[in-house]
Amino acid sequence: RSTRKGRALPKGVNKSKKRFRAAIVVNHKSTYLGTFDTPQEAHQAYMAAAKRIAGEFAFDGLSSLPLAV
């Protein structure tokens, strides 16, 4: 089941062969966060980076509101 409309994987996660890559874009520059066995692990890495960068305004892509800190 899709986590976002028209998207099978969470925000910041892409499939790479049989594993999942996490990356975040800040100021039009993509930063590679790693390759993981599950999309959940990749999304956790994305969210950790998003919280470091955006703090309380980090958006998980799964809801319409920023995450509560």
Side-chain angles (χ1 to χ4, degrees):
R1 188 169 181 167
S2 178
T3 56
R4 287 184 3 183
K5 275 188 178 179
R7 185 150 168 97
L9 296 171
K11 184 173 183 177
V13 178
N14 294 305
K15 186 144 177 150
S16 176
K17 297 184 182 180
K18 294 183 180 183
R19 299 190 73 199
F20 299 89
R21 291 176 33 140
I24 192 166
V25 177
V26 179
N27 294 329
H28 306 287
K29 291 180 80 176
S30 181
T31 301
Y32 173 73
L33 301 173
T35 305
F36 302 88
D37 293 324
T38 67
Q40 293 81 11
E41 291 173 331
H43 185 64
Q44 286 175 348
Y46 171 85
M47 287 310 304
K51 286 179 185 175
R52 276 194 312 274
I53 294 164
E56 67 178 286
F57 301 104
F59 180 69
D60 68 359
L62 303 176
S63 66
S64 60
L65 300 173
L67 294 176
V69 177

